[in-house]
Amino acid sequence: MYSALKINGKKLYEFARKGIEIERSPRPVEIFRLECVALYPPYFCLDIDCSKGTYIRTLLEDVATAMGTCACMTFLLRTRAGDFSIEDSKTLKEIAENPEKVLLPLEYAVRKTEKLSVNALQAFRITSGVRTTIKGTSSGTYALYLANAFLGMVNVEEEIVKPEKILVQVKQPTNVI
């Protein structure tokens, strides 16, 4: 209940904070590795490698139930998210000293996402929040580009491009009638 998963457009934790319990459907996840790295009763520390969509608090509740007890998570350290690893992270001091050297460009996060290149008018419309038809575009999630500039993320369904996360607002082209 204390997740950001949305039900009817509202995050579950918003319901939970009001004391409202919402029926939730189980969803498939994969646990690749679950290792107990420290045990000091009644506390224990787990190292978990899992698929996206895994709610660690819920997993811990399930582990505790299987052990005939209950559990409360007191600490969570995410060591990897997708291709990003804690070993590659930088301290705030390192960033402050030389941000150009250590910070990755925005588009690095979506480098494996298919690109959708648009013209200036399409870019203006989409970054202004207008759903725009682009014939021949397959359904899916795309990184939106105008020339070599990364603008944000869009979803396409039935050739209709819908803005999802727009990072750059494109100005209206002046040469359009």
Side-chain angles (χ1 to χ4, degrees), residues 77-142:
L77 174 64
R78 185 182 300 264
T79 58
R80 184 176 53 84
D83 292 340
F84 297 96
S85 170
I86 197 166
E87 288 83 20
D88 300 324
S89 62
K90 305 298 179 196
T91 66
L92 291 175
K93 182 180 177 187
E94 289 172 312
I95 295 168
E97 288 173 352
N98 198 347
E100 294 80 20
K101 180 180 178 188
V102 298
L103 293 179
L104 300 170
L106 287 174
E107 54 270 18
Y108 186 84
V110 296
R111 70 192 181 283
K112 294 181 180 178
T113 305
E114 192 171 348
K115 292 181 180 181
L116 177 61
S117 295
V118 294
N119 63 39
L121 180 58
Q122 292 167 328
F124 166 69
R125 290 175 50 81
I126 295 166
T127 63
S128 297
V130 179
R131 293 177 184 211
T132 304
T133 301
I134 301 180
K135 296 286 184 193
T137 306
S138 301
S139 294
T141 300
Y142 293 85

Side-chain angles (χ1 to χ4, degrees), residues 7 28 48:
I7 303 289
I48 302 167

Side-chain angles (χ1 to χ4, degrees), residues 34 44 46 56-72:
L34 192 151
F44 58 92
L46 300 176
I56 299 300
R57 284 180 185 86
T58 304
L59 175 63
L60 294 183
E61 289 173 7
D62 293 346
V63 168
T65 299
M67 295 171 66
T69 187
C70 59
C72 175

